Amino acid sequence: PLDALLARFLAHLTAAGFAETTREGYELGLARFIAHLAEQGVHRGADVTVRHLEAYQNHLVTRGSRTEGPLALSTQAGRIAQVRQFFRFLLKQGHLLADPSVILETPRLPRKLPGRILTIAEVKRLLMAPDVKKTLGLRNRAILELLYATGVRVGELTALGVADLDHVAGELTVQRGKGGRGRLVPAGRAACQWVRRYLDDARPQLARRRGESALFLSWRGRRMHGKDVLEMLGRYVKTARIPGRVTPHTMRHTFATHLLRGKASLRHIQELLGHARLTTTQVYTRVDLTDLKEVYRRCHPRGRE
């Protein structure tokens, strides 16, 4: 049955070290896919045909959202990628003799520029916003410092354990990066010092369960979630009087763009961000080109015409 095969696939993702958020995304997307097949009377993996998959792709385009309208191209591409990975797993595990998902076409997505990029002055105001005399303020300062110093994704940040930061070497070990890839990232002296202060003065006040390994804890003493970091960041953005919406991914984009402006190579930025492909990192060169165009427009006589 498809439900049983999905359970095996999700167990495989967990064993392979995929992030919990990634696993949850697969679970939600594939559960909807299986529900769509059930409406067509298909309940077993071996009964899925090319016709069923074509019908599912058409469903995503025409009635894929809750409002009975087409899903965004990015969401369609994500759902199709999930189905492909699922069937590749089934084929590899011997549950299928052939992979019918090879006929699925992924929508071509326009490559978006990263959104908001903070200036150095805005970053400084944001880092200074938490009240470090308070337990949560000290924790939040350490989080903000680490986000800007390493460019880690919010899911990677919340998955960190106490042992993942080497304060002496100034290195952060990301155990569960995107796609299950781990990496080693320089953390910088300032971020390491703030995390050390947090560990010495704030974390003991938050830790309520013996043996808790999570680096950053909520006020309840549990591992923080991405939404906790997002809400915390939003409060400090207002305190620092920074216009626009700023998310943890904004900090990641800012980290990469500031490195590029400092003449770091794309290869090095790719390694730091944990991108599987250099083409993903190259989008930051377009960000800098946008800045150059703005400078040209303001400064060159022909640019003002």
Side-chain angles (χ1 to χ4, degrees), residues 21 116 126 139-140 143-144 147 152-158 216 218 223-239 244-252:
T21 51
R116 182 86 162 82
L126 181 61
R139 180 204 65 183
N140 296 341
I143 290 175
L144 294 176
L147 282 174
V152 293
R153 302 175 179 91
V154 66
E156 296 169 344
L157 177 90
T158 56
F216 293 113
S218 69
R223 182 182 295 274
M224 294 182 68
H225 297 289
K227 64 179 182 180
D228 300 325
V229 180
L230 178 62
E231 291 172 359
M232 174 270 291
L233 182 58
R235 291 195 299 272
Y236 292 129
V237 166
K238 292 181 180 179
T239 301
R245 185 170 184 264
V246 178
T247 68
H249 221 65
T250 306
M251 301 295 288
R252 179 171 166 85

Side-chain angles (χ1 to χ4, degrees), residues 140-171:
N140 296 341
R141 176 67 184 266
I143 290 175
L144 294 176
E145 290 279 355
L146 205 58
L147 282 174
Y148 179 59
T150 63
V152 293
R153 302 175 179 91
V154 66
E156 296 169 344
L157 177 90
T158 56
L160 290 174
V162 174
D164 290 332
L165 183 63
D166 186 333
H167 303 272
V168 177
E171 296 173 346

Side-chain angles (χ1 to χ4, degrees), residues 33-96:
F33 168 64
I34 291 173
H36 182 264
L37 291 176
E39 292 176 359
Q40 303 178 67
V42 179
H43 302 281
R44 301 182 64 84
D47 296 334
V48 180
T49 66
V50 169
R51 178 175 60 84
H52 296 129
L53 294 177
E54 289 176 339
Y56 177 66
Q57 183 154 24
N58 184 61
H59 167 74
L60 295 179
V61 175
T62 58
R63 297 182 302 279
S65 71
R66 294 179 179 177
T67 58
E68 296 300 310
L71 291 172
L73 286 179
S74 58
T75 306
Q76 291 181 41
R79 296 279 178 84
I80 291 170
Q82 291 171 347
V83 170
R84 281 179 167 172
Q85 290 295 328
F86 181 46
F87 277 94
R88 286 175 187 170
F89 168 79
L90 297 182
L91 182 66
K92 187 176 181 180
Q93 295 295 315
H95 297 294
L96 298 176

